[in-house]
Amino acid sequence: MWTEHQVKELLREAGVPVPRGVADPALAGTLTPPLVLKSAGLLHKTDAGGVRLGLTHDTLGPAVAEMRDRLGDGFLIEEQAPAGVELIVGLVRDPGFGPVLLAGLGGVWTEALRDTALRLCPISETDARRMLASLRGSPLLYGHRGTPPVDLDAVVKLLLTIGGHGGLWERLELGEFELNPVIASPSGVVAVDARYLPSPSSPHVPPPAHDFTTLFEPRRVAVVGASTSRPNFGNMFLEFYLAAGAEVVAVHPTAASVGGVPAVPSLAAADVDYALVAVPASRCAEVVRQARGVPYTQVMSGGFGEAGHPDLEAALAGAAREAGTRLLGPNCMGVYCPRGRQTFVGGGLGPPGTVALISQSGGLAGEVIKVGERRGLAFSRVATLGNAADVTPAELLRWLSADPATSVVGLYLEDPRDGLALFSALAGCSLPVVMLVGGRSGQGRRAAASHTGGMVSDSRIWQALADQTGATLVTTQDALIGTLSYFQSHAPRRPPPAPPHPGHRSASGRSSDPGAGAGRHSGSDPGESPGPRAERAGVLVVGPSGGAGVLAADAFDDAGLTLDPLPDDVLDDLKAIGLGVGSSLANPLEVPVGPRVRPDLVKQVIATIVRRLPYQDVVAHVNVQSFFTYGTSAEPLRDYARHLGEVEGVRVTLVTRNGEFAPPAVEDEIRAIAAEAGIPVYRSMEAAAIAVAAGQRFYGGTDGTA
């Protein structure tokens, strides 16, 4: 551990204001009282009585003697900083994501309020301002109850000096680094206390770019591990590939064929682009070592890295390097790509589409594929990575961001494997990305010596990753599918990102600043002066039942969305259409929908409103039950969906409340009609609100057509 005096010399060299101070009490005569005396050898000085405030030159000597008797030699004497808002600014190295910057209320408030914000390094100025604006105590910074605002630019400069490009985080061997408190006032900032705990770390070296086309569209596939006598997972995959129409060969030491599939005696003789290995973990390295000339090898088998087999995964990765094959897994189900006849799920291939998925769980990926296709998703590429011993989520995301077949990417992650590379890939991705993370609540609360480490948790880091890169973080599988559906309907192809600069510290794809990612898809920064009113308003909700509209308002408010009021100059037009009788003309807007209402009414209402005030999103909801309680046919509901699909110039979302009242085939028909018009369909307002909020964050003030 460095002494505080040494840390402050480092800060002074970096341009961070610190109090004037000396380490030798005999030199304290050059300082201006009031003075602060600190014991230099303690980690938590205040708890041990190692700090004395408000000293004069006369009282300093006795205080030094008393502290020496209790705590030993080693002191720092400084000029006492004027009062102000006390902040904490810290750095800690997260095991998965590397250096993380923390900022918040400091001093006595650090543990009492735990009011802090996190960002992954490097941060941008936008990140710094958003961190400060997100604090519950932010009014203290902007001026509160007659107190003047602090010099916010000085605070931002401090955060950038510590965690921005070229900041101290790049030069420190973290460990942990903490400034607590930093005194912020109208005249600037002063780092009053400083602590640094070095811990050597390996430099991050990003992998070279790789073309994964053959992974998803192999010429020929081999399955290793299928049996002629006892059907197993290998046999199941042979059946899946046959059903998909893929060219497949079995690998078996003696058989000429397995399950009607031609067999070869070894993987070395297979002549394939992709090999699926389903043998016991203890044999996998031996098999993978034969994969010379095979671009990709997938190991389905589990049991790697578990008790009793600590070296199996390392041996497997080494065998793949020796053979020159890229490894998927171990413990993964493989790849799904309808256009490439790649599959790991039964029931045949769905239609090719534009939705990509990277998942560390094969089972969950299979559910997302099947449930998603049932709800109208069409997939471009799906890859399951399991333990990700070689091919990582970051590598695939970087490639998918420039894949012409893909318009939106979903992620299911439990361990980033290479968090620095994932941060860079997300920041450089021009496509919408939806993340579902497993284990955020219990994977790790890391014990640490400082306040900084104690307030950094897995869930907060994942949220910071999403905030900085513009990705959407969801909490359920249903929300993942629903948000992917929204972007499938409304996401145009984006231009591919610019090539990243060498090295992570300045590698962010489109920008040399990963922290700038949040600005691509978000609105104006909290705490900053708002610009001119956007051309387009937020969300318009239209549908039957005033009560359903009120509940919709609650759902969209919970999602952080604004239901902008209707413009005054449209009210007469709506009354002329026949609205407003028995209900108010407001947003949400009550619009009759049912078997006895002309089905084009909602189209006319929306067109009338958006001519006056263009909304970014219109959410139309229907009560499906009413069509079958007060009618005898599904045709009025189909007509309603067709007319809704004719609405132009706005992103439309449909909510079919009480959909279980429709005959089974009708819901599929409505989804198909809506899908043809580019309209996602949801069964609840809550599900729609999550998806629409993701779209508004990604597109910001644009209409999504650029």
Side-chain angles (χ1 to χ4, degrees), residues 577-579 591-593 597-606 643:
I577 296 173
L579 299 188
V591 178
V593 177
V597 179
R598 57 189 181 93
D600 66 337
L601 176 61
V602 70
K603 179 181 72 171
Q604 184 179 1
V605 168
I606 294 171
H643 285 292

Side-chain angles (χ1 to χ4, degrees), residues 668-686:
D668 289 343
E669 291 172 3
I670 299 305
R671 285 185 181 278
I673 292 170
E676 188 173 350
I679 298 175
V681 181
Y682 302 90
R683 272 195 161 192
S684 73
M685 287 293 185
E686 290 76 12

Side-chain angles (χ1 to χ4, degrees), residues 97-119:
F97 288 100
V100 176
L101 179 73
L102 176 143
L105 293 188
V108 298
W109 304 116
T110 302
E111 292 180 346
L113 298 181
R114 302 179 71 84
D115 186 11
T116 57
L118 301 181
R119 289 295 186 271

